[in-house]
Coordinates of all heavy atoms in Angstrom, one line a residue:
M134 N 13.9 -22.2 -9.3 CA 12.7 -21.6 -8.9 C 12.5 -21.8 -7.4 O 12.8 -22.8 -6.8 CB 11.6 -22.3 -9.7 CG 10.1 -21.7 -9.2 SD 8.8 -22.5 -10.1 CE 9.0 -21.5 -11.7
T135 N 12.1 -20.8 -6.7 CA 11.8 -20.7 -5.3 C 10.5 -21.6 -4.9 O 9.6 -21.4 -5.6 CB 11.6 -19.4 -4.7 OG1 12.7 -18.5 -5.2 CG2 11.4 -19.3 -3.2
K136 N 10.6 -22.5 -4.0 CA 9.4 -23.2 -3.7 C 8.4 -22.4 -3.0 O 8.8 -21.5 -2.3 CB 9.9 -24.3 -2.6 CG 8.8 -25.2 -2.2 CD 9.3 -26.4 -1.4 CE 8.2 -27.2 -0.9 NZ 8.7 -28.3 0.0
V137 N 7.2 -22.5 -3.5 CA 6.2 -21.8 -2.9 C 5.7 -22.3 -1.7 O 5.5 -23.6 -1.7 CB 4.9 -21.6 -3.8 CG1 3.8 -20.8 -3.2 CG2 5.4 -20.9 -5.1
Q138 N 5.5 -21.6 -0.5 CA 4.9 -22.1 0.7 C 3.8 -21.3 1.1 O 3.8 -20.0 0.9 CB 6.0 -22.1 1.7 CG 7.2 -23.2 1.5 CD 8.0 -23.2 2.8 OE1 8.3 -22.2 3.4 NE2 8.4 -24.4 3.1
I139 N 2.7 -21.9 1.6 CA 1.6 -21.2 2.1 C 1.4 -21.7 3.6 O 1.2 -22.9 3.8 CB 0.3 -21.4 1.3 CG1 0.5 -21.1 -0.1 CG2 -0.8 -20.8 2.0 CD1 -0.7 -21.4 -1.0
K140 N 1.6 -20.7 4.6 CA 1.5 -21.1 5.9 C 0.1 -20.6 6.5 O -0.2 -19.5 6.2 CB 2.6 -20.5 6.8 CG 2.5 -20.9 8.2 CD 3.6 -20.1 9.0 CE 3.4 -20.6 10.6 NZ 4.0 -19.6 11.5
V141 N -0.6 -21.5 7.1 CA -1.9 -21.1 7.7 C -1.5 -20.6 9.1 O -1.2 -21.4 10.0 CB -2.8 -22.4 7.8 CG1 -4.2 -21.9 8.4 CG2 -3.0 -23.0 6.5
N142 N -1.6 -19.4 9.3 CA -1.1 -18.8 10.5 C -2.3 -18.9 11.6 O -3.5 -18.9 11.3 CB -1.0 -17.2 10.5 CG 0.4 -16.9 9.7 OD1 1.3 -17.5 9.8 ND2 0.3 -15.9 8.9
D143 N -1.9 -19.3 12.8 CA -2.8 -19.5 13.9 C -3.7 -18.2 14.0 O -3.2 -17.1 14.2 CB -2.1 -19.8 15.2 CG -1.5 -21.2 15.2 OD1 -1.8 -22.0 14.3 OD2 -0.8 -21.6 16.1
N144 N -5.0 -18.4 14.0 CA -5.9 -17.3 14.2 C -5.5 -16.0 13.4 O -5.9 -14.9 13.8 CB -5.8 -16.8 15.7 CG -6.1 -17.9 16.6 OD1 -6.9 -18.8 16.4 ND2 -5.2 -18.0 17.6
G145 N -5.2 -16.3 12.1 CA -4.8 -15.3 11.2 C -4.8 -15.7 9.7 O -5.6 -16.6 9.4
S146 N -3.9 -15.1 9.0 CA -4.0 -15.2 7.5 C -3.2 -16.4 7.0 O -2.7 -17.1 7.8 CB -3.2 -13.9 7.0 OG -1.9 -13.9 7.5
F147 N -3.3 -16.4 5.7 CA -2.4 -17.3 4.9 C -1.2 -16.5 4.5 O -1.4 -15.5 3.9 CB -3.1 -17.8 3.6 CG -4.3 -18.6 3.8 CD1 -5.5 -18.3 3.5 CD2 -4.1 -20.0 4.3 CE1 -6.7 -19.1 3.7 CE2 -5.3 -20.9 4.5 CZ -6.6 -20.3 4.0
R148 N 0.0 -17.0 5.0 CA 1.2 -16.4 4.5 C 1.8 -17.0 3.4 O 2.1 -18.3 3.5 CB 2.2 -16.3 5.9 CG 3.5 -15.6 5.5 CD 3.3 -14.1 5.4 NE 4.5 -13.3 5.2 CZ 4.7 -12.1 4.9 NH1 3.6 -11.4 4.7 NH2 5.8 -11.5 4.8
V149 N 1.9 -16.3 2.2 CA 2.5 -16.8 1.1 C 3.9 -16.4 0.8 O 4.2 -15.1 0.8 CB 1.5 -16.5 -0.1 CG1 2.0 -17.0 -1.5 CG2 0.1 -16.9 0.2
T150 N 4.8 -17.3 0.6 CA 6.2 -17.0 0.2 C 6.7 -17.7 -1.0 O 6.1 -18.9 -1.2 CB 7.1 -17.2 1.3 OG1 7.0 -18.6 1.7 CG2 6.9 -16.4 2.6
G151 N 7.5 -17.1 -1.8 CA 8.1 -17.9 -3.0 C 7.6 -17.1 -4.2 O 7.0 -16.2 -4.3
D152 N 7.9 -17.7 -5.3 CA 7.8 -17.2 -6.5 C 6.4 -17.5 -7.1 O 6.2 -18.6 -7.8 CB 8.8 -17.7 -7.6 CG 8.8 -17.1 -8.9 OD1 8.0 -16.0 -9.0 OD2 9.4 -17.5 -9.9
V153 N 5.4 -16.9 -6.7 CA 4.0 -17.0 -7.1 C 3.3 -15.9 -7.7 O 3.7 -14.6 -7.3 CB 3.2 -17.6 -5.8 CG1 3.2 -16.5 -4.7 CG2 1.8 -18.1 -6.2
E154 N 2.4 -16.1 -8.5 CA 1.6 -15.0 -9.1 C 0.3 -15.0 -8.7 O -0.5 -16.1 -8.7 CB 1.6 -15.2 -10.7 CG 1.1 -14.0 -11.4 CD 1.3 -14.1 -13.0 OE1 1.1 -15.1 -13.5 OE2 1.5 -13.1 -13.5
L155 N -0.2 -13.9 -8.1 CA -1.5 -13.9 -7.5 C -2.4 -13.2 -8.7 O -2.1 -12.0 -9.0 CB -1.6 -13.1 -6.2 CG -3.0 -12.8 -5.6 CD1 -3.6 -14.3 -5.2 CD2 -2.8 -11.9 -4.3
L156 N -3.6 -13.9 -8.9 CA -4.3 -13.3 -10.0 C -5.7 -12.9 -9.4 O -6.3 -13.5 -8.5 CB -4.6 -14.3 -11.2 CG -3.4 -14.8 -11.7 CD1 -3.7 -16.1 -12.8 CD2 -2.5 -13.7 -12.4
D157 N -6.4 -11.9 -10.0 CA -7.8 -11.6 -9.5 C -8.8 -12.4 -10.4 O -8.4 -13.3 -11.1 CB -8.1 -10.0 -9.8 CG -8.2 -9.6 -11.2 OD1 -8.2 -10.5 -12.1 OD2 -8.3 -8.4 -11.5
G158 N -10.1 -12.1 -10.2 CA -11.1 -13.0 -10.7 C -11.1 -12.9 -12.3 O -11.7 -13.8 -12.9
E159 N -10.5 -11.9 -12.8 CA -10.4 -11.7 -14.3 C -9.2 -12.3 -14.9 O -8.8 -12.1 -16.0 CB -10.7 -10.2 -14.7 CG -12.1 -9.9 -14.3 CD -12.2 -8.3 -14.7 OE1 -11.3 -7.6 -14.7 OE2 -13.4 -8.0 -14.9
G160 N -8.3 -12.7 -13.9 CA -6.9 -13.3 -14.4 C -5.9 -12.2 -14.5 O -4.8 -12.5 -15.0
K161 N -6.1 -11.0 -14.0 CA -5.1 -10.1 -14.0 C -4.3 -10.1 -12.8 O -4.7 -10.3 -11.7 CB -5.8 -8.5 -14.1 CG -6.5 -8.3 -15.3 CD -6.9 -6.8 -15.3 CE -8.5 -6.9 -15.5 NZ -9.1 -5.5 -15.2
P162 N -3.0 -9.9 -13.0 CA -2.0 -10.1 -11.8 C -2.0 -8.8 -10.8 O -1.9 -7.8 -11.3 CB -0.6 -10.4 -12.5 CG -0.8 -9.6 -13.7 CD -2.2 -9.7 -14.2
F163 N -1.8 -9.3 -9.6 CA -1.6 -8.3 -8.6 C -0.1 -8.0 -8.7 O 0.7 -8.8 -9.3 CB -1.8 -8.7 -7.2 CG -3.4 -8.7 -6.9 CD1 -4.0 -9.8 -7.3 CD2 -4.0 -7.6 -6.3 CE1 -5.4 -9.8 -6.9 CE2 -5.4 -7.7 -6.1 CZ -6.1 -8.8 -6.3
P164 N 0.4 -6.7 -8.3 CA 1.9 -6.5 -8.3 C 2.7 -7.6 -7.5 O 2.2 -8.1 -6.4 CB 2.0 -5.2 -7.6 CG 0.7 -4.5 -7.8 CD -0.4 -5.6 -7.8
A165 N 3.6 -8.1 -8.2 CA 4.5 -9.2 -7.5 C 5.2 -8.7 -6.2 O 5.7 -7.7 -6.2 CB 5.5 -9.7 -8.6
K166 N 5.2 -9.7 -5.3 CA 5.9 -9.4 -4.0 C 6.5 -10.8 -3.6 O 5.9 -11.8 -3.9 CB 5.0 -9.0 -2.8 CG 4.3 -7.7 -3.1 CD 3.4 -7.3 -2.0 CE 2.7 -6.0 -2.0 NZ 1.8 -5.7 -0.9
P167 N 7.6 -10.8 -2.9 CA 8.2 -12.0 -2.6 C 7.5 -12.7 -1.4 O 7.6 -13.9 -1.3 CB 9.7 -11.6 -2.1 CG 9.5 -10.1 -1.8 CD 8.4 -9.6 -2.6
A168 N 6.6 -12.0 -0.6 CA 5.8 -12.6 0.4 C 4.6 -11.6 0.6 O 4.8 -10.4 0.6 CB 6.7 -12.7 1.6
F169 N 3.5 -12.3 1.0 CA 2.3 -11.5 1.3 C 1.4 -12.4 2.1 O 1.5 -13.6 2.1 CB 1.6 -11.0 0.0 CG 1.3 -12.0 -1.1 CD1 0.1 -12.7 -0.9 CD2 2.2 -12.3 -2.0 CE1 -0.1 -13.6 -2.0 CE2 2.0 -13.3 -3.0 CZ 0.9 -14.0 -2.9
S170 N 0.3 -11.7 2.8 CA -0.5 -12.5 3.5 C -2.0 -12.3 3.0 O -2.4 -11.3 2.7 CB -0.5 -12.0 4.9 OG 0.7 -12.2 5.7
L171 N -2.6 -13.4 2.8 CA -4.1 -13.4 2.2 C -5.0 -13.5 3.4 O -4.8 -14.3 4.2 CB -4.2 -14.5 1.3 CG -3.4 -14.4 0.0 CD1 -3.6 -15.7 -0.7 CD2 -3.8 -13.3 -0.8
C172 N -6.0 -12.8 3.3 CA -7.1 -12.8 4.4 C -7.8 -14.1 4.3 O -8.2 -14.6 3.3 CB -8.1 -11.6 4.1 SG -9.5 -11.6 5.3
R173 N -8.1 -14.6 5.5 CA -9.0 -15.9 5.5 C -10.1 -15.6 6.4 O -10.9 -16.6 6.8 CB -8.2 -17.2 5.7 CG -7.6 -17.3 7.2 CD -6.9 -18.7 7.3 NE -6.4 -18.9 8.5 CZ -6.9 -19.8 9.5 NH1 -7.8 -20.5 9.2 NH2 -6.2 -19.8 10.6
C174 N -10.3 -14.4 6.9 CA -11.4 -14.1 7.9 C -12.6 -13.4 7.2 O -13.6 -13.3 7.8 CB -11.0 -13.4 9.2 SG -10.6 -11.7 8.7
G175 N -12.3 -12.8 6.1 CA -13.3 -12.1 5.5 C -13.6 -10.6 6.0 O -14.4 -9.9 5.4
L176 N -12.8 -10.2 6.9 CA -12.8 -8.8 7.4 C -12.1 -7.8 6.9 O -12.2 -6.7 7.2 CB -12.7 -8.9 8.9 CG -13.7 -9.8 9.6 CD1 -13.4 -9.9 11.2 CD2 -15.1 -9.3 9.6
S177 N -11.1 -8.1 6.1 CA -10.0 -7.2 5.5 C -10.7 -6.1 4.7 O -11.6 -6.5 3.9 CB -9.0 -7.9 4.8 OG -8.1 -6.9 4.2
E178 N -10.3 -4.9 4.8 CA -10.7 -3.8 3.8 C -9.8 -3.7 2.6 O -9.9 -2.6 1.8 CB -10.9 -2.5 4.5 CG -12.1 -2.6 5.5 CD -12.4 -1.3 6.2 OE1 -11.9 -0.2 5.8 OE2 -13.2 -1.3 7.2
N179 N -8.8 -4.6 2.5 CA -7.9 -4.6 1.5 C -7.7 -6.0 0.9 O -6.6 -6.6 0.7 CB -6.4 -4.2 2.0 CG -5.4 -3.9 1.0 OD1 -5.7 -3.5 -0.2 ND2 -4.2 -4.3 1.2
M180 N -8.9 -6.5 0.6 CA -8.9 -7.9 -0.1 C -8.1 -7.9 -1.3 O -8.1 -7.0 -2.1 CB -10.5 -8.2 -0.2 CG -11.1 -8.6 0.9 SD -10.5 -10.1 1.7 CE -11.8 -10.7 2.6
P181 N -7.5 -8.9 -1.6 CA -7.5 -10.3 -0.8 C -6.4 -10.3 0.2 O -6.2 -11.4 0.7 CB -7.2 -11.3 -2.0 CG -6.2 -10.6 -2.8 CD -6.7 -9.2 -2.9
F182 N -5.9 -9.2 0.6 CA -4.7 -9.2 1.5 C -5.2 -9.0 2.9 O -6.3 -8.3 3.2 CB -3.7 -8.2 1.2 CG -3.2 -8.3 -0.2 CD1 -3.7 -7.5 -1.3 CD2 -2.2 -9.2 -0.5 CE1 -3.2 -7.6 -2.5 CE2 -1.8 -9.4 -1.8 CZ -2.1 -8.6 -2.9
C183 N -4.5 -9.5 3.9 CA -4.7 -9.3 5.4 C -4.3 -7.9 5.6 O -3.2 -7.5 5.3 CB -4.0 -10.3 6.1 SG -4.0 -10.1 7.9
D184 N -5.4 -7.2 6.4 CA -5.0 -5.9 6.9 C -4.9 -5.9 8.4 O -4.8 -4.9 9.0 CB -5.9 -4.9 6.4 CG -7.3 -5.1 6.9 OD1 -7.6 -5.9 7.6 OD2 -8.0 -4.1 6.5
G185 N -5.0 -7.1 9.1 CA -4.9 -7.1 10.5 C -6.3 -7.1 11.2 O -6.4 -7.3 12.4
A186 N -7.3 -6.9 10.4 CA -8.7 -7.0 11.0 C -9.2 -8.2 11.7 O -10.0 -8.1 12.6 CB -9.7 -6.5 9.8
H187 N -8.4 -9.2 11.4 CA -8.8 -10.5 12.2 C -8.4 -10.6 13.6 O -8.9 -11.3 14.4 CB -8.1 -11.6 11.4 CG -6.6 -11.6 11.6 ND1 -5.7 -10.9 10.7 CD2 -5.7 -12.0 12.5 CE1 -4.5 -11.0 11.0 NE2 -4.5 -11.7 12.3
K188 N -7.5 -9.7 14.0 CA -7.0 -9.8 15.3 C -8.1 -9.7 16.4 O -8.9 -8.8 16.5 CB -6.0 -8.7 15.6 CG -4.7 -8.9 14.8 CD -3.7 -7.8 14.9 CE -2.5 -8.1 14.0 NZ -1.6 -6.9 13.9
G189 N -8.1 -10.7 17.3 CA -9.2 -10.8 18.3 C -10.5 -11.3 17.8 O -11.4 -11.5 18.5
K190 N -10.6 -11.6 16.6 CA -11.9 -12.0 16.0 C -12.0 -13.3 15.2 O -13.0 -14.0 15.1 CB -12.3 -11.0 14.9 CG -12.7 -9.6 15.6 CD -13.0 -8.5 14.5 CE -13.1 -7.2 15.2 NZ -12.9 -6.1 14.3
L191 N -10.7 -13.8 15.0 CA -10.7 -15.1 14.2 C -10.0 -16.1 15.2 O -9.1 -16.0 15.6 CB -9.8 -14.9 12.8 CG -9.6 -16.3 12.2 CD1 -10.9 -16.9 11.7 CD2 -8.8 -15.9 11.0
Q192 N -10.8 -17.2 15.3 CA -10.1 -18.3 16.1 C -10.1 -19.6 15.3 O -11.2 -20.1 15.0 CB -11.0 -18.6 17.4 CG -11.0 -17.5 18.4 CD -11.7 -17.9 19.7 OE1 -12.6 -18.6 19.7 NE2 -11.3 -17.2 20.8
S193 N -9.0 -19.9 14.7 CA -8.8 -20.9 13.8 C -7.4 -21.5 13.9 O -6.4 -20.6 13.5 CB -9.3 -20.6 12.4 OG -8.9 -21.7 11.5
V194 N -7.1 -22.6 14.5 CA -5.8 -23.2 14.4 C -5.9 -24.5 13.7 O -6.7 -25.3 14.0 CB -5.4 -23.5 15.9 CG1 -4.1 -24.3 15.9 CG2 -5.2 -22.1 16.7
V195 N -5.2 -24.5 12.6 CA -5.2 -25.6 11.7 C -3.9 -26.4 11.7 O -2.8 -25.8 11.7 CB -5.4 -25.3 10.3 CG1 -5.4 -26.4 9.4 CG2 -6.7 -24.5 10.2
R196 N -3.9 -27.8 11.9 CA -2.7 -28.5 11.9 C -2.8 -29.6 10.7 O -3.8 -30.2 10.5 CB -2.5 -29.3 13.3 CG -2.2 -28.2 14.4 CD -0.8 -27.6 14.3 NE -0.6 -26.7 15.3 CZ -0.8 -25.4 15.4 NH1 -1.2 -24.7 14.2 NH2 -0.4 -24.5 16.3
A197 N -1.8 -29.8 10.0 CA -1.7 -30.8 9.1 C -1.8 -32.3 9.8 O -1.3 -32.4 10.9 CB -0.4 -30.8 8.4
P198 N -2.4 -33.2 9.1 CA -2.5 -34.4 9.6 C -1.1 -35.2 9.6 O -0.2 -34.9 8.8 CB -3.4 -35.2 8.7 CG -3.3 -34.4 7.3 CD -3.1 -33.1 7.8
K199 N -1.0 -36.1 10.5 CA 0.2 -36.9 10.6 C 0.5 -37.7 9.2 O -0.7 -38.2 8.8 CB 0.2 -37.8 11.7 CG 0.3 -37.3 13.0 CD 0.5 -38.3 14.1 CE -0.9 -38.7 14.7 NZ -0.8 -39.7 15.8
P200 N 1.6 -37.8 8.8 CA 1.7 -38.6 7.6 C 1.3 -40.0 7.9 O 1.6 -40.6 8.9 CB 3.2 -38.6 7.3 CG 3.7 -37.4 8.0 CD 2.9 -37.2 9.2
E201 N 0.7 -40.8 6.9 CA 0.2 -42.0 7.1 C 1.4 -43.0 7.3 O 2.5 -42.9 6.8 CB -0.5 -42.6 5.9 CG -1.9 -42.0 5.8 CD -2.8 -42.7 4.7 OE1 -2.5 -44.0 4.4 OE2 -3.5 -41.9 4.1
G202 N 1.2 -44.0 8.3 CA 2.2 -45.1 8.6 C 3.3 -44.5 9.6 O 4.3 -45.1 9.7
T203 N 3.0 -43.4 10.2 CA 4.0 -42.9 11.1 C 3.4 -42.7 12.5 O 2.1 -42.5 12.5 CB 4.7 -41.6 10.8 OG1 3.8 -40.5 10.8 CG2 5.1 -41.6 9.3
D204 N 4.1 -42.5 13.5 CA 3.6 -42.2 14.9 C 4.1 -40.8 15.1 O 4.0 -40.4 16.3 CB 4.1 -43.2 15.9 CG 3.6 -44.6 15.6 OD1 2.4 -44.7 15.3 OD2 4.2 -45.6 16.1
A205 N 4.5 -40.1 14.2 CA 5.0 -38.8 14.4 C 3.9 -37.9 14.9 O 2.8 -38.0 14.6 CB 5.6 -38.1 13.1
E206 N 4.2 -37.0 15.9 CA 3.2 -36.1 16.4 C 3.3 -34.7 15.6 O 4.2 -34.3 15.1 CB 3.6 -35.8 17.9 CG 3.4 -36.9 18.8 CD 1.9 -37.1 19.2 OE1 1.2 -36.2 19.3 OE2 1.6 -38.3 19.3
Ligands
LIG187 S1 -7.0 -12.8 8.0 FE1 -6.2 -10.8 8.6 S2 -7.8 -9.5 8.1 FE2 -8.6 -11.4 7.5

């Protein structure tokens, strides 16, 4: 099984890759794709997918915290 990864893109969408099933609010699946981007700005006209409407409007850079007990940057 392919490991699922979700990347928080700087100033943009959530990029989802791997063997994952995306369901709507009633539990019905969207057509399967090996990779897709989910909107996190609320401006897409193709929810829940990103349609690029965030460009120039979303400022959000998220970084994971350092693992505990390390000095890694
Ligand atoms: S994050 Fe791209 S349209 Fe919302």
Side-chain angles (χ1 to χ4, degrees):
M134 177 180 283
T135 308
K136 182 176 182 178
V137 174
Q138 291 188 319
I139 303 173
K140 181 183 179 204
V141 184
N142 287 323
D143 289 352
N144 306 316
S146 63
F147 293 110
R148 184 69 176 167
V149 182
T150 57
D152 186 15
V153 63
E154 187 174 40
L155 179 64
L156 307 175
D157 70 11
E159 296 177 336
K161 292 187 240 170
F163 286 89
K166 294 181 181 177
F169 53 89
S170 296
L171 294 175
C172 179
R173 71 177 178 112
C174 74
L176 300 174
S177 175
E178 292 186 10
N179 187 32
M180 286 292 199
F182 303 102
C183 171
D184 69 357
H187 65 268
K188 291 179 184 160
K190 297 177 182 155
L191 176 62
Q192 293 186 335
S193 176
V194 174
V195 178
R196 295 292 181 258
K199 292 188 264 184
E201 282 190 35
T203 68
D204 291 329
E206 292 279 327

